[in-house]
Amino acid sequence: MPSALVTGGSSGIGLAIARMLRDEGYDLTLAARKPDRLQAAAAALQAHAVQADVSREEDCARLVESHRDAHGGLDVLVNSAGLGIAGTVADTATKHFDLQLGVNLRGTFLVTREALPLLRERRGLVVNLASIAGTVPTPGLAAYGAAKAAVIALTRTLVREEASSGVRATALCPGFVDTPMAAWTGIAGEEMIQPEDCAELVRALLRLSPHARVPLVVLERAGDAV
């Protein structure tokens, strides 16, 4: 049976993608920092759970090893662990800058690097959750947008580097999604992109032939002027 590893899989976009993957017949490993939500999500999806902080190199290595021990191989990696702290360049604290790059960029890089040997064996798919803020100037999200722009660059480079191995990668770049991270916007949840919309795009990627690759997908919120 194919298997998938989803970081940030206990809530929001990651959980929606994990549900879709379970529906598609994938064995799952879910990773998150908070044990209570992680265990609840894993129980609901009959998934293997690994508590991990993806900004820590040793946690990333342990996570991939635990997935391999549980499932034997890896077909899909979803790097959905992330956080955002609003702030302009002028008022963003250094610790908030470091935190966002540590989770959003460093974590994506580390988990992907550790997982590549397994992904090459299965000619697997990597989905990195970036953001529309990484594609257009977004005042008030300076560090977050910079981290997500770097995730996009990392993904597009990975596509080229792994062309001969058959590993494909996509940076998924949604606008505001109805998750707790977007609550600060004041936009009503029903007016935002839904987590399930992101999951449906990943489902479409799974159904492409191995001869098609999609390095970047931008998902705009209806009505946004971007």
Side-chain angles (χ1 to χ4, degrees), residues 8-11 31-41 49-53 180:
S10 65
S11 63
R33 287 187 304 112
K34 297 181 179 179
D36 292 344
R37 289 197 304 185
L38 174 62
Q39 292 299 332
V50 180
Q51 185 180 0
D53 176 352

Side-chain angles (χ1 to χ4, degrees), residues 128 130-131 134-135 148 151-153 155-156 159 169-173 205 213-219:
N128 292 330
S131 169
T135 68
K148 293 301 189 178
V151 168
I152 293 168
T155 305
R156 300 190 77 159
V159 169
T170 298
L172 182 57
C173 307
L205 293 173
R213 65 187 187 190
V214 184
L216 181 69
V217 176
V218 176
L219 181 58

Side-chain angles (χ1 to χ4, degrees), residues 131-143:
S131 169
I132 202 168
T135 68
V136 295
T138 309
L141 291 176

